[in-house]
Amino acid sequence: MLYGTKIEICAGSYADIRTLDKFNEIDRLELNSHLEEDGLTPSRDFYLWTRQHTDKQILCMVRCANKWTYTEEEKEEMRKDALFFVQNGAGIVIGCLNDDNTIDVPFIKDLIDLAHKYHQEAVFHKAFDVTRNEDEAIQALIDLHCDRVLTAGRAASAPAGSEDIKRLEERYGGYIEIQPCGGVNAGNVAKMLEETGCTRFHMSLRGNPANEEKISSVLEALHKRKGNTKQKILTGEDDAMFINDAYERKME
């Protein structure tokens, strides 16, 4: 956590994990395979290796093909993958729509209930942005007790969709965590957070494997947002200060 902002980064390789683990400020990792297809389920071996090489919170994408609707056979495959991940200490990132672009409530309910049974988080991915009606969709996710939703505000990027993300945060942020994602970088992260009122964001290393400079520049932008450009990496003492701060506890 950095100044009350939670940072989640999407990773797709062993090199990504080694790089991300160097940064104390990064809170969560989302594991994927095939980032060129917007992220599919990672291999079980990749997850187990990652679990051994980082203490950060891990979420695993559960998506067997680059689409939003699935056959019953594909759903069963995803149920098995989700069970493996939650049984082995990871949250899951999920999403499934009906042919009319409404949320497949029975299937998503199964996966959310499964995650919560093992005390893990269930996150709805950017399939949310193509739902028929986002208010209807987010209310369904709230009713299902989904923990978080990833969104670019139905735009090409989260900064471009900041107005819609702000509306979602103001209307539903007390019931479900709204997490901007898509196109977040050092040049827009501070402005996006200010405009949306969100306190967490998601970004990807897609196209920039093991790119420490990209991560450092985003962290530097957040430091500048708070008027502090000297401190690069939080120490254990800094982390403890934020954890014990009453305002930070409220944010969490």
Side-chain angles (χ1 to χ4, degrees):
M1 178 182 291
L2 185 61
Y3 306 121
T5 300
K6 272 203 168 184
I7 303 168
E8 178 179 293
I9 296 189
C10 180
S13 71
Y14 296 101
D16 287 348
I17 302 305
R18 292 189 182 96
T19 297
L20 296 174
D21 199 49
K22 298 176 183 179
F23 293 87
N24 292 336
E25 298 96 329
I26 296 171
D27 301 281
R28 294 189 291 248
L29 308 181
E30 183 196 282
L31 292 193
N32 290 258
S33 66
H34 299 87
L35 288 177
E36 72 280 1
E37 297 184 49
D38 291 328
L40 302 180
T41 305
S43 74
R44 298 182 182 190
D45 286 344
F46 181 36
Y47 166 68
L48 293 175
W49 182 91
T50 301
R51 182 71 287 166
Q52 292 176 345
H53 288 80
T54 183
D55 292 327
K56 297 184 186 299
Q57 182 183 357
I58 299 174
L59 298 148
C60 291
M61 178 64 74
V62 177
R63 187 174 181 233
C64 65
N66 187 13
K67 57 183 181 177
W68 308 124
T69 60
Y70 303 95
T71 65
E72 289 304 316
E73 291 76 15
E74 289 170 329
K75 290 179 186 179
E76 185 56 31
E77 178 185 342
M78 289 191 285
R79 285 189 183 94
K80 292 177 182 178
D81 287 331
L83 178 61
F84 173 83
F85 292 133
V86 298
Q87 283 183 327
N88 286 278
I92 52 175
V93 183
I94 57 178
C96 183
L97 304 181
N98 298 309
D99 290 336
D100 62 355
N101 283 350
T102 57
I103 290 176
D104 184 342
V105 169
F107 179 57
I108 293 301
K109 182 180 187 302
D110 285 350
L111 296 184
I112 291 174
D113 289 348
L114 177 64
H116 291 171
K117 177 181 178 180
Y118 288 91
H119 309 290
Q120 299 297 331
E121 289 186 329
V123 181
F124 199 87
H125 57 53
K126 282 183 66 181
F128 175 79
D129 282 354
V130 297
T131 53
R132 181 178 67 185
N133 180 293
E134 67 177 2
D135 292 288
E136 175 187 86
I138 201 166
Q139 189 59 60
L141 293 176
I142 291 169
D143 293 343
L144 293 174
H145 306 291
C146 185
D147 296 286
R148 185 160 56 257
V149 60
L150 296 168
T151 180
R154 296 179 177 263
S157 68
S162 62
E163 184 175 339
D164 187 61
I165 295 171
K166 178 182 180 180
R167 187 188 74 84
L168 292 171
E169 174 65 22
E170 290 178 344
R171 187 166 184 176
Y172 301 106
Y175 306 97
I176 188 171
E177 190 175 300
I178 308 297
Q179 183 160 300
C181 68
V184 178
N185 57 49
N188 58 38
V189 63
K191 182 180 180 182
M192 181 202 66
L193 292 174
E194 293 290 346
E195 290 180 345
T196 64
C198 294
T199 58
R200 56 266 299 139
F201 67 91
H202 171 107
M203 60 179 284
S204 173
L205 293 184
R206 180 169 53 183
N208 294 277
N211 192 332
E212 293 187 37
E213 183 179 352
K214 179 178 181 180
I215 300 169
S216 296
S217 63
V218 168
L219 298 179
E220 184 68 12
L222 294 176
H223 283 299
K224 288 180 179 179
R225 179 184 176 215
K226 292 299 182 180
N228 178 355
T229 60
K230 293 182 180 180
Q231 183 185 6
K232 298 290 186 179
I233 300 295
L234 292 184
T235 65
E237 185 176 318
D238 295 317
D239 286 334
M241 177 185 70
F242 285 116
I243 291 170
N244 293 323
D245 184 87
Y247 173 74
E248 298 298 336
R249 291 198 300 273
K250 182 180 177 181
M251 294 293 287
E252 282 301 292

